[in-house]
Amino acid sequence: MSEQDHGTTEGKSNPVGVAIAVFIGAIGLVIGIMLLAQFAIGTRPLGAGLDKAAAEAAVKERIAPDVIIVTSATKESGPVAPTLPAVAAAPVKVASGESVYKAACTACHTAGVAGAPKTGDKPAWAPRVAQGKDTLYKHAIGGFQGKMGVMPAKGGNASLSDADVKAAVDYMLAAVK
């Protein structure tokens, strides 16, 4: 035999031992997380130790709204809470018709995909324009399937606001006037 080190484990890893250590560590971690969660939420349910009526009252108090909205009916029929101050709505920014067109409409309206009238093609737009802007807005926002083609709702981009879609329709209509 040679002088090689046969049979000693010094400097070698033991895969079974490593696997057992990892397994025990994982179990310890899970148990620790469970204990921490139990400590954080408590083990006593809401209303424990109370009679049924008191427990129900505790639950109702817990889920009661923090804000009371006062209406004229409330003022006439019951206790009056302070009214909330009016909050001005943030102005809604509408994207330009051209930017919406380039982002959502150009894919179909440049090539005439699925019967879409090409931008600037007056004969293709004429029957649609004859229906009126409100109908064009309705079809562009809600989608439409007709004899001449298919219009997906909001051009397939559900994140567009109705005002954005209307701006894009106006942009395309300006190209056929």
Side-chain angles (χ1 to χ4, degrees):
M1 288 206 170
S2 67
E3 292 188 23
Q4 293 180 358
D5 190 20
H6 295 286
T8 63
T9 59
E10 187 177 319
K12 295 182 181 178
S13 65
N14 181 357
V16 173
V18 170
I20 291 172
V22 168
F23 181 72
I24 290 172
I27 290 175
L29 181 64
V30 169
I31 290 172
I33 290 172
M34 289 172 48
L35 289 173
L36 184 61
Q38 192 173 24
F39 174 73
I41 64 171
T43 57
R44 185 174 175 186
L46 183 61
L50 302 175
D51 63 6
K52 186 174 181 177
E56 287 176 4
V59 169
K60 285 181 182 178
E61 181 181 333
R62 173 73 176 103
I63 64 172
D66 292 334
V67 177
I68 299 172
I69 298 175
V70 178
T71 64
S72 60
T74 308
K75 288 181 182 177
E76 295 169 4
S77 62
V80 177
T83 58
L84 299 173
V87 177
V92 176
K93 184 176 184 203
V94 178
S96 74
E98 182 179 8
S99 66
V100 175
Y101 170 80
K102 287 179 179 178
C105 310
T106 191
C108 295
H109 286 280
T110 299
V113 175
K118 293 181 182 181
T119 306
D121 184 354
K122 289 182 183 184
W125 278 95
R128 292 167 174 93
V129 171
Q131 296 176 8
K133 261 189 180 181
D134 289 336
T135 301
L136 289 173
Y137 291 154
K138 179 182 172 188
H139 291 171
I141 292 168
F144 180 75
Q145 183 169 356
K147 294 177 186 175
M148 294 187 278
V150 176
M151 172 66 204
K154 296 187 176 184
N157 185 347
S159 67
L160 291 173
S161 70
D162 291 357
D164 290 338
V165 175
K166 288 179 181 181
V169 169
D170 291 340
Y171 174 80
M172 287 187 277
L173 289 176
V176 293
K177 287 189 177 181

